Amino acid sequence: MNTGCANCRTTMNFYETGYLYLFHEECDIKPLREALQKDDHTYVLPFHNIESLNEILEPYAHILVEQGWTCSISSSDKPGEYYSAEDFLNKMKYRDMIELIQKGEFVSYLQPIMELEKYELYAYESLLRSADPSRKINPGQLFKAAELTGFHSMLDQRARKTAIESRVGNIEKGVKSFINFLPSTIYNPEYCLKHTFQIVDKYGVNPEDLVFEVVETEKIEDVSHLKSVLEVYKREGMKVALDDVGSGFATIEMLSLLQPDIVKIDRTYISGCDRHTDKQQFLKTVIQTARELGISVLAEGIERKEELAFCKEVGVNYGQGYLIGKPALVPEKPLISAL
């Protein structure tokens, strides 16, 4: 199946029994005591349990990496694709997460976002979770494992697909969906986003109901590339949001350059904003700048009524946080009655 992006076609098979192959064109020293020499540059280690294989490799990990060995795992007497020792060992370490990513068995939990002027439902943010309730995953750890193993493009694409599918039967037309994406996985927006746009068409979702939210802002180095990605989303009729304003990359100075539709204020500036004058001044500065540029402001991490009241008072457009509503598989209305 063509996923629409070459970076997303990574695969990795883990076998419960099989053979580990180690290859080094220049090193003649046996890399593992348990390995058998297959030819001048190749050693092989049969294994009958992948967990025991992991235990065998662990003491040799630094040697394999330092000496520059490459590794392959196969169910037959012929090696499969070779990886650098570091890459292979990471894949072995996070194999459970890799298998989860490859199977794509995810759901979206939906957290309400409220329009503050009238206390009305505005949107839901889609948050990635495992489809198996017994298999708890930490999204941050999952994306970290994906980055270390080369599966971040596949995971990001599948997260976007899951988020769009989650609207069906759950979210009414006119209510927006906030969908996180990693700019670093989109090497060519015209090509890599085709699959996402096909999913939008497949389910008959109005592009105007989608807000694609930039995450991992602290890692962004190529601002012009990010701008080109945002422009492709906008061209398709979708809105874009910049996450964590005030933290790392997402500074006020970037708002004018990137021209997002919405900026999300980092929760560290929202917590206790009713009591801290420095946070209040920051919020007022962001709101003023955003208004001048025609950008809406969303406060995330609202957990107290006082924080909500202050945000509304100074002109924040939208609010999100546990006070308003927690993430749920079946979307809940904002807790307006509690306000």
Side-chain angles (χ1 to χ4, degrees):
M1 174 181 173
N2 186 349
T3 65
C5 181
N7 285 1
C8 301
R9 291 196 286 272
T10 304
T11 58
M12 179 73 179
N13 294 316
F14 299 97
Y15 306 98
E16 198 55 41
T17 62
Y19 302 88
L20 169 71
Y21 294 89
L22 301 113
F23 175 82
H24 198 308
E25 194 169 9
E26 299 176 356
C27 187
D28 296 323
I29 303 173
K30 189 176 182 178
L32 300 179
R33 184 180 60 201
E34 298 88 344
L36 305 173
Q37 189 164 9
K38 183 176 174 65
D39 55 44
D40 289 344
H41 306 292
T42 306
Y43 292 81
V44 61
L45 173 65
F47 65 91
H48 302 288
N49 180 287
I50 197 165
E51 191 60 45
S52 63
L53 173 62
N54 211 32
E55 292 174 0
I56 292 172
L57 286 172
E58 190 172 347
Y60 300 96
H62 67 286
I63 297 173
L64 295 173
V65 173
E66 289 175 3
Q67 292 182 351
W69 286 86
T70 58
C71 309
S72 174
I73 190 172
S74 174
S75 61
S76 71
D77 58 0
K78 294 182 179 180
E81 182 177 356
Y82 277 96
Y83 301 92
S84 71
E86 183 176 15
D87 191 14
F88 179 81
L89 291 166
N90 276 328
K91 285 177 166 61
M92 286 289 290
K93 180 179 180 181
Y94 296 109
R95 63 186 180 277
D96 289 344
M97 291 190 180
I98 289 175
E99 289 178 337
L100 178 63
I101 293 168
Q102 291 186 136
K103 290 177 181 177
E105 296 173 347
F106 298 110
V107 294
S108 281
Y109 273 51
L110 304 169
Q111 183 175 25
I113 295 172
M114 188 169 63
E115 189 273 320
L116 297 189
E117 184 178 354
K118 297 181 180 179
Y119 285 156
E120 292 179 346
L121 175 66
Y122 173 69
Y124 289 96
E125 179 169 2
S126 298
L127 303 168
L128 192 66
R129 300 290 187 269
S130 170
D132 181 354
S134 67
R135 193 169 186 177
K136 303 283 186 182
I137 60 168
N138 179 305
Q141 293 176 353
L142 182 64
F143 274 94
K144 182 65 176 177
E147 181 180 2
L148 288 171
T149 57
F151 282 83
H152 54 303
S153 289
M154 179 183 287
L155 176 59
D156 185 51
Q157 186 187 84
R158 291 190 169 169
R160 280 181 268 141
K161 177 177 182 290
T162 301
I164 294 167
E165 291 174 338
S166 72
R167 286 188 61 90
V168 181
N170 285 319
I171 301 176
E172 297 177 2
K173 292 181 178 180
V175 177
K176 300 191 183 303
S177 291
F178 276 63
I179 301 173
N180 297 324
F181 78 96
L182 305 175
S184 62
T185 69
I186 302 171
Y187 73 97
N188 180 336
E190 295 287 352
Y191 183 63
C192 292
L193 294 178
K194 280 184 178 180
H195 180 259
T196 298
F197 300 150
Q198 288 169 358
I199 299 298
V200 173
D201 290 339
K202 176 182 176 180
Y203 290 102
V205 175
N206 186 344
E208 294 181 359
D209 287 341
L210 301 178
V211 182
F212 283 90
E213 177 182 335
V214 180
V215 295
E216 68 162 14
T217 50
E218 77 283 356
K219 298 178 183 177
I220 295 168
E221 296 178 354
D222 190 343
V223 178
S224 61
H225 173 68
L226 173 58
K227 187 176 181 180
S228 70
V229 174
L230 300 186
E231 287 173 350
V232 171
Y233 277 126
K234 286 184 174 184
R235 187 192 67 201
E236 296 295 319
M238 303 163 187
K239 293 186 180 297
V240 295
L242 194 61
D243 194 16
D244 294 340
V245 169
S247 172
F249 165 88
T251 59
I252 293 175
E253 288 75 19
M254 283 295 172
L255 301 187
S256 178
L257 177 62
L258 295 174
Q259 291 287 316
D261 299 290
I262 299 169
V263 293
K264 297 184 76 171
I265 307 297
D266 186 76
R267 64 184 62 245
T268 58
Y269 291 93
I270 303 304
S271 178
C273 62
D274 56 302
R275 298 175 295 191
H276 298 281
T277 56
D278 56 337
K279 295 182 180 183
Q280 293 173 2
Q281 185 55 52
F282 176 80
L283 282 171
K284 291 175 181 178
T285 301
V286 172
I287 292 166
Q288 180 180 346
T289 303
R291 280 178 178 169
E292 292 172 355
L293 296 170
I295 299 171
S296 298
V297 177
L298 188 157
E300 58 180 351
I302 297 176
E303 297 186 356
R304 298 167 48 248
K305 292 182 179 180
E306 294 82 359
E307 294 163 355
L308 177 65
F310 180 80
C311 287
K312 180 177 180 180
E313 179 186 338
V314 296
V316 172
N317 303 98
Y318 310 111
Q320 179 181 5
Y322 279 10
L323 177 68
I324 295 168
K326 296 181 179 181
L329 184 59
V330 178
E332 299 176 354
K333 297 289 187 181
L335 303 180
I336 299 173
S337 60
L339 306 177

